[in-house]
Amino acid sequence: MPFALTWNEFTAYADTPARVAFLIVLGVALRAVLNRLVDRLVIKTAGLEPPRHFFGSERAAQLIGNNGTLYHERRSQRAHALGSLFKSITTVVIASMVTLTALNQLGFQVAPVLASAGVVGVALGFGAQNLVKDFLAGVFMLLEDQYGVGDVIDMGQASGTVESVGLRVTRLRDGDGVLWHVRNGEVLRVGNKSQGWSSLVLDVSVAYDEDVAQVEQLINQVGRELAEDENWRDQILETPQVVGIEEVNGSSLTLRVIGKCRPNQHFGVQREFRLRLKELFDARNIRVPTPVWPGQPGQSGAPGTP
């Protein structure tokens, strides 16, 4: 009987390394399988076909959804960032489970370790709550696609072009060249000015007594020619056109022009629109309001004016 008891103990101790080795191999295999699933999901997500219609137009969908455009790039960046995050979480969870199970097989008391880990986790939660807040905000920001690299956004205290998107900090550069580092957990609102498309808004002022119908026809003509120009048609999603009179005063009429462009391309389109509009106005003798400078006759403070 003593010999049999010793043999059972020997068998139990001999099986322990095999069990631990089995747990390690199982953990490694499970991690590899899960990481492979995540990689396949990332590749599938990054390679999704773009929408066939955008603003009711197939041409706009082709321009925005082209694999060489920012639309595909930011979708790929989001997919890879989330894939890396999920793989890291998977590795930590599997490694923790394998370690605790192996310690239990070796005869160590796991309950005190779990209790200590719980206390440490609570302490870290209170001490690093801002870090956890930033991290969770960054995760949801990526999941919801609130903004991406290249977008022009307004975060309240800082606005500019996004240069880097992280799980904790977002970096954006404003018009003065200042690089802002904004913690994701401190962002209460985000205004994205270029997600999907940018709006072209242009106010055109002409003399008060000009023929409004003629001026509107000329402006729409410039918008159509610009949208059909081979150098600019890839930048324009919706042809700029007059939507009506925006303002009327004693010396001028202001007509508003609205259109849609590819993200961040409306600045160049507006400049070209103004240039062509000036040339056409000069050719058709369309008058614009004459600027009035202080000190001119008839103005308050001018010589001979009461």
Side-chain angles (χ1 to χ4, degrees):
M1 183 63 62
F3 178 78
L5 183 60
T6 304
W7 175 257
N8 290 337
E9 292 178 353
F10 173 77
T11 304
Y13 282 116
D15 289 343
T16 299
R19 294 173 183 172
V20 173
F22 175 75
L23 287 174
I24 295 175
V25 173
L26 180 62
V28 172
L30 182 61
R31 176 181 177 275
V33 171
L34 292 178
N35 285 352
R36 185 174 181 83
L37 290 176
V38 172
D39 289 338
R40 292 182 62 181
L41 182 61
V42 168
I43 294 175
K44 183 178 180 180
T45 303
L48 286 176
E49 294 184 0
R52 296 184 177 181
H53 293 83
F54 206 71
F55 310 126
S57 171
E58 294 184 0
R59 176 171 171 268
Q62 293 175 357
L63 291 176
I64 293 182
N66 193 318
N67 288 340
T69 62
L70 186 62
Y71 178 86
H72 181 269
E73 293 177 2
R74 65 180 291 171
R75 181 177 56 190
S76 178
Q77 290 173 356
R78 286 179 55 225
H80 284 88
L82 292 174
S84 177
L85 174 64
F86 291 151
K87 288 196 289 186
S88 299
I89 294 176
T90 300
T91 300
V92 171
V93 171
I94 293 178
S96 301
M97 294 178 61
V98 169
T99 301
L100 292 176
T101 308
L103 291 175
N104 189 31
Q105 291 294 323
L106 293 173
F108 292 95
Q109 295 294 328
V110 182
V113 176
L114 293 176
S116 301
V119 174
V120 172
V122 172
L124 289 177
F126 280 106
Q129 55 183 341
N130 288 332
L131 181 62
V132 176
K133 180 181 178 182
D134 296 339
F135 179 81
L136 293 177
V139 171
F140 282 104
M141 179 272 299
L142 288 174
L143 287 174
E144 297 170 358
D145 191 21
Q146 297 177 9
Y147 53 85
V149 176
D151 283 343
V152 178
I153 64 174
D154 181 0
M155 287 186 165
Q157 296 182 350
S159 61
T161 304
V162 178
E163 291 192 353
S164 175
V165 179
L167 292 176
R168 194 182 71 87
V169 173
T170 296
R171 295 188 304 172
L172 65 156
R173 192 176 300 274
D174 63 15
D176 296 328
V178 180
L179 183 63
W180 293 86
H181 299 261
V182 183
R183 289 170 41 198
N184 295 328
E186 297 298 323
V187 178
L188 300 179
R189 64 174 180 85
V190 177
N192 196 324
K193 301 179 181 179
S194 60
Q195 189 171 24
W197 52 273
S198 294
S199 179
L200 183 153
V201 180
L202 187 64
D203 289 336
V204 180
S205 297
V206 296
Y208 181 84
D209 55 352
E210 287 290 346
D211 186 350
V212 177
Q214 180 186 7
V215 173
E216 181 175 343
Q217 180 181 0
L218 295 176
I219 296 175
N220 290 335
Q221 175 185 338
V222 173
R224 288 192 300 269
E225 293 176 352
L226 190 61
E228 295 172 357
D229 192 310
E230 60 179 6
N231 295 325
W232 295 97
R233 62 186 178 187
D234 291 341
Q235 312 298 331
I236 300 175
L237 303 178
E238 184 178 284
T239 303
Q241 60 181 355
V242 178
V243 295
I245 298 177
E246 183 67 16
E247 183 181 357
V248 178
N249 57 43
S251 61
S252 66
L253 296 171
T254 301
L255 289 81
R256 172 150 294 185
V257 182
I258 293 181
K260 290 186 176 70
C261 303
R262 289 180 57 185
N264 300 327
Q265 300 299 320
H266 60 292
F267 299 108
V269 176
Q270 288 178 166
R271 296 187 186 98
E272 181 66 17
F273 197 102
R274 293 189 186 98
L275 177 60
R276 297 190 179 197
L277 198 59
K278 179 186 181 305
E279 293 176 351
L280 185 58
F281 279 5
D282 291 342
R284 298 296 183 91
N285 295 321
I286 301 297
R287 294 175 295 109
V288 298
T290 302
V292 178
W293 306 103
Q296 286 185 346
Q299 296 298 312
S300 177
T305 302

